[in-house]
mmCIF file of all heavy atoms in Angstrom:
data_model
loop_
_atom_site.group_PDB
_atom_site.id
_atom_site.type_symbol
_atom_site.label_atom_id
_atom_site.label_comp_id
_atom_site.label_asym_id
_atom_site.label_seq_id
_atom_site.Cartn_x
_atom_site.Cartn_y
_atom_site.Cartn_z
ATOM 1 N N GLN A 20 -5.119 31.849 4.217
ATOM 2 C CA GLN A 20 -4.008 32.713 4.632
ATOM 3 C C GLN A 20 -3.267 32.172 5.850
ATOM 4 O O GLN A 20 -2.750 32.926 6.675
ATOM 5 C CB GLN A 20 -4.504 34.145 4.917
ATOM 6 C CG GLN A 20 -5.121 34.846 3.727
ATOM 7 C CD GLN A 20 -4.080 35.142 2.653
ATOM 8 O OE1 GLN A 20 -3.004 35.631 2.937
ATOM 9 N NE2 GLN A 20 -4.413 34.833 1.417
ATOM 10 N N ARG A 21 -3.213 30.840 5.980
ATOM 11 C CA ARG A 21 -2.461 30.215 7.064
ATOM 12 C C ARG A 21 -1.234 29.533 6.466
ATOM 13 O O ARG A 21 -1.329 28.885 5.426
ATOM 14 C CB ARG A 21 -3.318 29.182 7.799
ATOM 15 C CG ARG A 21 -4.528 29.796 8.495
ATOM 16 C CD ARG A 21 -5.330 28.736 9.170
ATOM 17 N NE ARG A 21 -5.700 27.727 8.173
ATOM 18 C CZ ARG A 21 -6.842 27.090 8.139
ATOM 19 N NH1 ARG A 21 -7.746 27.310 9.058
ATOM 20 N NH2 ARG A 21 -7.104 26.199 7.224
ATOM 21 N N THR A 22 -0.131 29.661 7.141
ATOM 22 C CA THR A 22 1.092 29.029 6.647
ATOM 23 C C THR A 22 1.040 27.525 6.892
ATOM 24 O O THR A 22 0.271 27.043 7.725
ATOM 25 C CB THR A 22 2.344 29.617 7.328
ATOM 26 O OG1 THR A 22 2.236 29.407 8.732
ATOM 27 C CG2 THR A 22 2.499 31.090 7.018
ATOM 28 N N ILE A 23 1.869 26.827 6.165
ATOM 29 C CA ILE A 23 1.957 25.376 6.321
ATOM 30 C C ILE A 23 3.384 25.021 6.719
ATOM 31 O O ILE A 23 4.324 25.759 6.432
ATOM 32 C CB ILE A 23 1.558 24.641 5.031
ATOM 33 C CG1 ILE A 23 2.368 25.136 3.843
ATOM 34 C CG2 ILE A 23 0.084 24.769 4.770
ATOM 35 C CD1 ILE A 23 2.114 24.402 2.557
ATOM 36 N N SER A 24 3.530 23.893 7.372
ATOM 37 C CA SER A 24 4.862 23.500 7.821
ATOM 38 C C SER A 24 5.568 22.686 6.742
ATOM 39 O O SER A 24 4.932 22.088 5.866
ATOM 40 C CB SER A 24 4.771 22.682 9.109
ATOM 41 O OG SER A 24 4.197 21.423 8.843
ATOM 42 N N GLN A 25 6.868 22.657 6.843
ATOM 43 C CA GLN A 25 7.695 21.894 5.918
ATOM 44 C C GLN A 25 7.327 20.412 5.969
ATOM 45 O O GLN A 25 7.341 19.727 4.953
ATOM 46 C CB GLN A 25 9.176 22.092 6.283
ATOM 47 C CG GLN A 25 10.150 21.262 5.494
ATOM 48 C CD GLN A 25 10.441 21.830 4.130
ATOM 49 O OE1 GLN A 25 10.174 22.994 3.871
ATOM 50 N NE2 GLN A 25 11.000 21.016 3.271
ATOM 51 N N SER A 26 6.978 19.913 7.151
ATOM 52 C CA SER A 26 6.663 18.483 7.283
ATOM 53 C C SER A 26 5.410 18.100 6.489
ATOM 54 O O SER A 26 5.319 16.989 5.974
ATOM 55 C CB SER A 26 6.494 18.099 8.751
ATOM 56 O OG SER A 26 5.377 18.750 9.308
ATOM 57 N N HIS A 27 4.450 19.025 6.389
ATOM 58 C CA HIS A 27 3.240 18.725 5.617
ATOM 59 C C HIS A 27 3.552 18.566 4.133
ATOM 60 O O HIS A 27 3.061 17.643 3.489
ATOM 61 C CB HIS A 27 2.188 19.814 5.812
ATOM 62 C CG HIS A 27 1.505 19.737 7.133
ATOM 63 N ND1 HIS A 27 1.912 20.475 8.212
ATOM 64 C CD2 HIS A 27 0.451 18.996 7.541
ATOM 65 C CE1 HIS A 27 1.134 20.190 9.234
ATOM 66 N NE2 HIS A 27 0.246 19.294 8.867
ATOM 67 N N THR A 28 4.356 19.457 3.588
ATOM 68 C CA THR A 28 4.683 19.349 2.167
ATOM 69 C C THR A 28 5.644 18.184 1.923
ATOM 70 O O THR A 28 5.578 17.537 0.879
ATOM 71 C CB THR A 28 5.278 20.652 1.615
ATOM 72 O OG1 THR A 28 6.429 21.013 2.370
ATOM 73 C CG2 THR A 28 4.248 21.771 1.635
ATOM 74 N N ALA A 29 6.518 17.908 2.880
ATOM 75 C CA ALA A 29 7.445 16.779 2.729
ATOM 76 C C ALA A 29 6.673 15.460 2.721
ATOM 77 O O ALA A 29 6.971 14.558 1.929
ATOM 78 C CB ALA A 29 8.482 16.784 3.840
ATOM 79 N N GLN A 30 5.676 15.356 3.583
ATOM 80 C CA GLN A 30 4.867 14.137 3.626
ATOM 81 C C GLN A 30 4.076 13.966 2.322
ATOM 82 O O GLN A 30 4.006 12.863 1.766
ATOM 83 C CB GLN A 30 3.922 14.190 4.814
ATOM 84 C CG GLN A 30 3.219 12.888 5.080
ATOM 85 C CD GLN A 30 2.355 12.965 6.315
ATOM 86 O OE1 GLN A 30 1.506 13.848 6.408
ATOM 87 N NE2 GLN A 30 2.562 12.056 7.239
ATOM 88 N N LEU A 31 3.527 15.063 1.811
ATOM 89 C CA LEU A 31 2.816 14.999 0.537
ATOM 90 C C LEU A 31 3.774 14.606 -0.584
ATOM 91 O O LEU A 31 3.439 13.785 -1.433
ATOM 92 C CB LEU A 31 2.145 16.336 0.221
ATOM 93 C CG LEU A 31 1.476 16.431 -1.161
ATOM 94 C CD1 LEU A 31 0.391 15.377 -1.318
ATOM 95 C CD2 LEU A 31 0.933 17.827 -1.376
ATOM 96 N N ALA A 32 4.971 15.159 -0.584
ATOM 97 C CA ALA A 32 5.964 14.816 -1.606
ATOM 98 C C ALA A 32 6.331 13.334 -1.536
ATOM 99 O O ALA A 32 6.510 12.681 -2.575
ATOM 100 C CB ALA A 32 7.208 15.682 -1.443
ATOM 101 N N MET A 33 6.409 12.790 -0.328
ATOM 102 C CA MET A 33 6.723 11.371 -0.178
ATOM 103 C C MET A 33 5.617 10.506 -0.777
ATOM 104 O O MET A 33 5.883 9.582 -1.554
ATOM 105 C CB MET A 33 6.912 11.017 1.297
ATOM 106 C CG MET A 33 7.167 9.530 1.527
ATOM 107 S SD MET A 33 6.968 9.024 3.236
ATOM 108 C CE MET A 33 5.230 9.287 3.517
ATOM 109 N N PHE A 34 4.366 10.795 -0.442
ATOM 110 C CA PHE A 34 3.254 10.015 -0.984
ATOM 111 C C PHE A 34 3.177 10.160 -2.503
ATOM 112 O O PHE A 34 2.911 9.193 -3.214
ATOM 113 C CB PHE A 34 1.925 10.436 -0.342
ATOM 114 C CG PHE A 34 1.773 9.988 1.072
ATOM 115 C CD1 PHE A 34 1.469 10.879 2.077
ATOM 116 C CD2 PHE A 34 1.934 8.647 1.406
ATOM 117 C CE1 PHE A 34 1.319 10.464 3.386
ATOM 118 C CE2 PHE A 34 1.785 8.216 2.722
ATOM 119 C CZ PHE A 34 1.485 9.132 3.710
ATOM 120 N N THR A 35 3.427 11.363 -2.986
ATOM 121 C CA THR A 35 3.426 11.586 -4.428
ATOM 122 C C THR A 35 4.542 10.795 -5.102
ATOM 123 O O THR A 35 4.333 10.207 -6.170
ATOM 124 C CB THR A 35 3.580 13.091 -4.728
ATOM 125 O OG1 THR A 35 2.493 13.797 -4.121
ATOM 126 C CG2 THR A 35 3.575 13.361 -6.218
ATOM 127 N N GLY A 36 5.703 10.751 -4.485
ATOM 128 C CA GLY A 36 6.811 9.977 -5.036
ATOM 129 C C GLY A 36 6.500 8.499 -5.098
ATOM 130 O O GLY A 36 6.812 7.828 -6.095
ATOM 131 N N VAL A 37 5.864 7.963 -4.075
ATOM 132 C CA VAL A 37 5.477 6.547 -4.076
ATOM 133 C C VAL A 37 4.441 6.301 -5.178
ATOM 134 O O VAL A 37 4.541 5.322 -5.930
ATOM 135 C CB VAL A 37 4.938 6.110 -2.695
ATOM 136 C CG1 VAL A 37 4.338 4.714 -2.745
ATOM 137 C CG2 VAL A 37 6.049 6.175 -1.656
ATOM 138 N N PHE A 38 3.469 7.187 -5.297
ATOM 139 C CA PHE A 38 2.466 7.082 -6.360
ATOM 140 C C PHE A 38 3.136 7.066 -7.733
ATOM 141 O O PHE A 38 2.848 6.209 -8.571
ATOM 142 C CB PHE A 38 1.477 8.253 -6.245
ATOM 143 C CG PHE A 38 0.591 8.427 -7.440
ATOM 144 C CD1 PHE A 38 -0.471 7.570 -7.667
ATOM 145 C CD2 PHE A 38 0.819 9.460 -8.349
ATOM 146 C CE1 PHE A 38 -1.295 7.735 -8.779
ATOM 147 C CE2 PHE A 38 -0.001 9.631 -9.454
ATOM 148 C CZ PHE A 38 -1.059 8.759 -9.667
ATOM 149 N N ASN A 39 4.060 7.995 -7.965
ATOM 150 C CA ASN A 39 4.744 8.074 -9.259
ATOM 151 C C ASN A 39 5.606 6.845 -9.519
ATOM 152 O O ASN A 39 5.666 6.353 -10.647
ATOM 153 C CB ASN A 39 5.592 9.344 -9.332
ATOM 154 C CG ASN A 39 4.737 10.591 -9.419
ATOM 155 O OD1 ASN A 39 3.558 10.543 -9.712
ATOM 156 N ND2 ASN A 39 5.348 11.733 -9.148
ATOM 157 N N LEU A 40 6.259 6.349 -8.498
ATOM 158 C CA LEU A 40 7.095 5.154 -8.649
ATOM 159 C C LEU A 40 6.241 3.934 -9.025
ATOM 160 O O LEU A 40 6.623 3.141 -9.886
ATOM 161 C CB LEU A 40 7.876 4.882 -7.363
ATOM 162 C CG LEU A 40 8.803 3.671 -7.375
ATOM 163 C CD1 LEU A 40 9.886 3.837 -8.431
ATOM 164 C CD2 LEU A 40 9.427 3.485 -6.002
ATOM 165 N N LEU A 41 5.091 3.812 -8.395
ATOM 166 C CA LEU A 41 4.190 2.703 -8.732
ATOM 167 C C LEU A 41 3.735 2.789 -10.189
ATOM 168 O O LEU A 41 3.731 1.796 -10.914
ATOM 169 C CB LEU A 41 2.989 2.674 -7.791
ATOM 170 C CG LEU A 41 3.289 2.239 -6.356
ATOM 171 C CD1 LEU A 41 2.075 2.478 -5.467
ATOM 172 C CD2 LEU A 41 3.712 0.792 -6.313
ATOM 173 N N TRP A 42 3.373 3.999 -10.639
ATOM 174 C CA TRP A 42 2.932 4.153 -12.021
ATOM 175 C C TRP A 42 4.062 3.902 -13.000
ATOM 176 O O TRP A 42 3.848 3.308 -14.066
ATOM 177 C CB TRP A 42 2.330 5.535 -12.268
ATOM 178 C CG TRP A 42 0.866 5.517 -12.045
ATOM 179 C CD1 TRP A 42 0.172 6.232 -11.109
ATOM 180 C CD2 TRP A 42 -0.107 4.728 -12.728
ATOM 181 N NE1 TRP A 42 -1.157 5.922 -11.177
ATOM 182 C CE2 TRP A 42 -1.361 5.006 -12.165
ATOM 183 C CE3 TRP A 42 -0.038 3.804 -13.765
ATOM 184 C CZ2 TRP A 42 -2.535 4.409 -12.608
ATOM 185 C CZ3 TRP A 42 -1.206 3.204 -14.206
ATOM 186 C CH2 TRP A 42 -2.427 3.510 -13.634
ATOM 187 N N ALA A 43 5.258 4.331 -12.663
ATOM 188 C CA ALA A 43 6.401 4.063 -13.544
ATOM 189 C C ALA A 43 6.640 2.560 -13.654
ATOM 190 O O ALA A 43 6.908 2.043 -14.749
ATOM 191 C CB ALA A 43 7.643 4.770 -13.025
ATOM 192 N N THR A 44 6.523 1.853 -12.551
ATOM 193 C CA THR A 44 6.708 0.406 -12.553
ATOM 194 C C THR A 44 5.643 -0.281 -13.401
ATOM 195 O O THR A 44 5.944 -1.184 -14.183
ATOM 196 C CB THR A 44 6.682 -0.143 -11.110
ATOM 197 O OG1 THR A 44 7.671 0.544 -10.337
ATOM 198 C CG2 THR A 44 6.945 -1.632 -11.080
ATOM 199 N N VAL A 45 4.398 0.153 -13.268
ATOM 200 C CA VAL A 45 3.312 -0.414 -14.078
ATOM 201 C C VAL A 45 3.575 -0.165 -15.563
ATOM 202 O O VAL A 45 3.406 -1.067 -16.397
ATOM 203 C CB VAL A 45 1.944 0.168 -13.657
ATOM 204 C CG1 VAL A 45 0.856 -0.189 -14.662
ATOM 205 C CG2 VAL A 45 1.563 -0.315 -12.274
ATOM 206 N N THR A 46 4.008 1.033 -15.894
ATOM 207 C CA THR A 46 4.292 1.357 -17.297
ATOM 208 C C THR A 46 5.385 0.457 -17.851
ATOM 209 O O THR A 46 5.258 -0.083 -18.955
ATOM 210 C CB THR A 46 4.685 2.842 -17.435
ATOM 211 O OG1 THR A 46 3.629 3.651 -16.907
ATOM 212 C CG2 THR A 46 4.923 3.206 -18.880
ATOM 213 N N VAL A 47 6.441 0.254 -17.085
ATOM 214 C CA VAL A 47 7.523 -0.626 -17.532
ATOM 215 C C VAL A 47 7.015 -2.056 -17.695
ATOM 216 O O VAL A 47 7.316 -2.731 -18.687
ATOM 217 C CB VAL A 47 8.726 -0.554 -16.555
ATOM 218 C CG1 VAL A 47 9.733 -1.653 -16.841
ATOM 219 C CG2 VAL A 47 9.388 0.808 -16.634
ATOM 220 N N LEU A 48 6.234 -2.532 -16.734
ATOM 221 C CA LEU A 48 5.684 -3.893 -16.841
ATOM 222 C C LEU A 48 4.806 -4.050 -18.081
ATOM 223 O O LEU A 48 4.828 -5.102 -18.738
ATOM 224 C CB LEU A 48 4.883 -4.254 -15.590
ATOM 225 C CG LEU A 48 5.692 -4.628 -14.360
ATOM 226 C CD1 LEU A 48 4.778 -4.775 -13.152
ATOM 227 C CD2 LEU A 48 6.475 -5.902 -14.594
ATOM 228 N N MET A 49 4.048 -3.028 -18.399
ATOM 229 C CA MET A 49 3.177 -3.106 -19.569
ATOM 230 C C MET A 49 3.972 -3.111 -20.873
ATOM 231 O O MET A 49 3.522 -3.686 -21.871
ATOM 232 C CB MET A 49 2.185 -1.933 -19.585
ATOM 233 C CG MET A 49 1.125 -2.037 -18.545
ATOM 234 S SD MET A 49 0.075 -3.443 -18.925
ATOM 235 C CE MET A 49 -0.512 -3.853 -17.342
ATOM 236 N N ILE A 50 5.119 -2.496 -20.877
ATOM 237 C CA ILE A 50 5.939 -2.466 -22.083
ATOM 238 C C ILE A 50 6.814 -3.721 -22.194
ATOM 239 O O ILE A 50 6.860 -4.371 -23.232
ATOM 240 C CB ILE A 50 6.814 -1.190 -22.111
ATOM 241 C CG1 ILE A 50 5.916 0.040 -22.248
ATOM 242 C CG2 ILE A 50 7.827 -1.241 -23.252
ATOM 243 C CD1 ILE A 50 6.632 1.351 -22.030
ATOM 244 N N VAL A 51 7.484 -4.093 -21.104
ATOM 245 C CA VAL A 51 8.428 -5.219 -21.124
ATOM 246 C C VAL A 51 7.708 -6.560 -21.064
ATOM 247 O O VAL A 51 8.109 -7.519 -21.711
ATOM 248 C CB VAL A 51 9.446 -5.078 -19.968
ATOM 249 C CG1 VAL A 51 10.353 -6.281 -19.892
ATOM 250 C CG2 VAL A 51 10.252 -3.792 -20.131
ATOM 251 N N ARG A 52 6.641 -6.657 -20.253
ATOM 252 C CA ARG A 52 5.860 -7.877 -20.066
ATOM 253 C C ARG A 52 6.770 -9.090 -19.813
ATOM 254 O O ARG A 52 6.848 -10.003 -20.637
ATOM 255 C CB ARG A 52 4.961 -8.124 -21.262
ATOM 256 C CG ARG A 52 3.957 -7.033 -21.494
ATOM 257 C CD ARG A 52 2.999 -7.294 -22.633
ATOM 258 N NE ARG A 52 3.449 -8.152 -23.688
ATOM 259 C CZ ARG A 52 4.073 -7.749 -24.800
ATOM 260 N NH1 ARG A 52 4.334 -6.476 -24.973
ATOM 261 N NH2 ARG A 52 4.430 -8.618 -25.740
ATOM 262 N N PRO A 53 7.465 -9.113 -18.682
ATOM 263 C CA PRO A 53 8.411 -10.215 -18.423
ATOM 264 C C PRO A 53 7.710 -11.575 -18.424
ATOM 265 O O PRO A 53 6.659 -11.747 -17.835
ATOM 266 C CB PRO A 53 8.963 -9.880 -17.032
ATOM 267 C CG PRO A 53 8.065 -8.856 -16.449
ATOM 268 C CD PRO A 53 7.364 -8.189 -17.577
ATOM 269 N N GLY A 54 8.310 -12.515 -19.115
ATOM 270 C CA GLY A 54 7.768 -13.860 -19.187
ATOM 271 C C GLY A 54 6.649 -14.041 -20.192
ATOM 272 O O GLY A 54 6.099 -15.119 -20.339
ATOM 273 N N SER A 55 6.289 -12.974 -20.914
ATOM 274 C CA SER A 55 5.202 -13.062 -21.870
ATOM 275 C C SER A 55 5.592 -13.913 -23.063
ATOM 276 O O SER A 55 6.706 -13.867 -23.548
ATOM 277 C CB SER A 55 4.816 -11.650 -22.347
ATOM 278 O OG SER A 55 3.832 -11.729 -23.348
#
């Protein structure tokens, strides 16, 4: 029952966005396989 600050959720959203971007990049690499 304690409130959280906007900065805490913003920081989590940033880390989540980086995580998702990395996975999207891996997925594209696995499909395109440049130089294969």
Side-chain angles (χ1 to χ4, degrees):
Q20 299 292 313
R21 296 179 304 217
T22 59
I23 54 176
S24 69
Q25 175 80 17
S26 65
H27 285 95
T28 57
Q30 190 177 55
L31 174 60
M33 177 195 66
F34 288 126
T35 301
V37 171
F38 167 75
N39 290 344
L40 181 62
L41 289 170
W42 268 118
T44 304
V45 168
T46 303
V47 169
L48 283 172
M49 288 294 154
I50 294 169
V51 175
R52 299 183 333 269
S55 176

